[in-house]
Amino acid sequence: MGKLNIAHHKSYHPYRRDNIERVKRDEEEAALKEAEQEGRIALADAEARLSLLRDRAGIGGKGNEKADAVEGPASGSGIVSGKHINFFEDLEQQAMMTASRATKKTAPSEAEKGVPLAPSAKDLNPWYSDKARDRGHPADDQEDEKRQVIYTYDTKNAF
């Protein structure tokens, strides 16, 4: 087998010093961009969770205090209502929803069934082995017998 010979003077050679430096620089830039993007996502997620918790507690945030004071808290639990604060309310609701979905059994799709280990009913009874189909034509059986006799006769005389 031949080996790959790349000339060292070519600009695309992977072990040239300038190509190695360029790859390192590009990887560092990509890592910085990715870290910055993850920081933005984490900040936006934290703000969204904080505003959600404030809305549930009825505290409100930026200018929502007046509207919440008139309407009351969004849910039945919170500091203003004096009831128990359930931090796991949404997890419990999700668990109840998944349990209700699990009780509703649906027919599995073809992808969920997996690879069949035994032949299906259709494969066990192919169209050509159907006896009821052949019963309707008794004259064909007699013709088949004649053809068989002629065929055996012809093969014997062929040599």
Side-chain angles (χ1 to χ4, degrees):
M1 298 194 88
K3 66 178 191 174
L4 180 64
N5 290 324
I6 301 175
H8 290 281
H9 66 278
K10 294 293 185 179
S11 64
Y12 51 81
H13 193 278
Y15 296 117
R16 282 182 51 173
R17 180 171 288 136
D18 59 336
N19 285 339
I20 292 171
E21 291 171 1
R22 182 170 42 95
V23 168
K24 284 182 183 177
R25 185 179 62 242
D26 290 345
E27 287 176 349
E28 288 173 0
E29 288 176 8
L32 287 174
K33 285 182 182 178
E34 185 177 340
E36 182 180 326
Q37 183 68 20
E38 287 178 2
R40 283 189 210 147
I41 291 172
L43 181 63
D45 187 39
E47 288 177 0
R49 283 186 281 144
L50 185 61
S51 67
L52 179 66
L53 289 173
R54 284 182 178 159
D55 288 344
R56 284 186 183 169
I59 296 172
K62 308 170 183 173
N64 291 339
E65 294 138 4
K66 294 178 183 175
D68 286 342
V70 174
E71 297 175 14
S75 65
S77 63
I79 297 172
V80 179
S81 64
K83 294 183 180 179
H84 172 71
I85 299 173
N86 188 0
F87 291 113
F88 304 103
E89 183 177 2
D90 34 331
L91 293 174
E92 292 170 354
Q93 289 176 355
Q94 288 176 356
M96 288 175 34
M97 291 176 70
T98 54
S100 66
R101 288 182 192 150
T103 57
K104 297 178 185 177
K105 302 258 178 168
T106 59
S109 66
E110 292 295 325
E112 292 173 352
K113 287 181 182 177
V115 178
L117 299 177
S120 66
K122 182 179 178 184
D123 292 338
L124 290 174
N125 190 16
W127 63 270
Y128 52 83
S129 69
D130 190 12
K131 303 284 185 195
R133 184 176 178 165
D134 293 336
R135 288 184 200 143
H137 306 288
D140 290 340
D141 292 334
Q142 294 170 356
E143 290 176 12
D144 288 339
E145 291 174 11
K146 289 179 185 177
R147 286 186 195 140
Q148 185 67 26
V149 170
I150 292 171
Y151 177 72
T152 17
Y153 176 73
D154 289 341
T155 54
K156 289 179 182 176
N157 293 329
F159 295 105

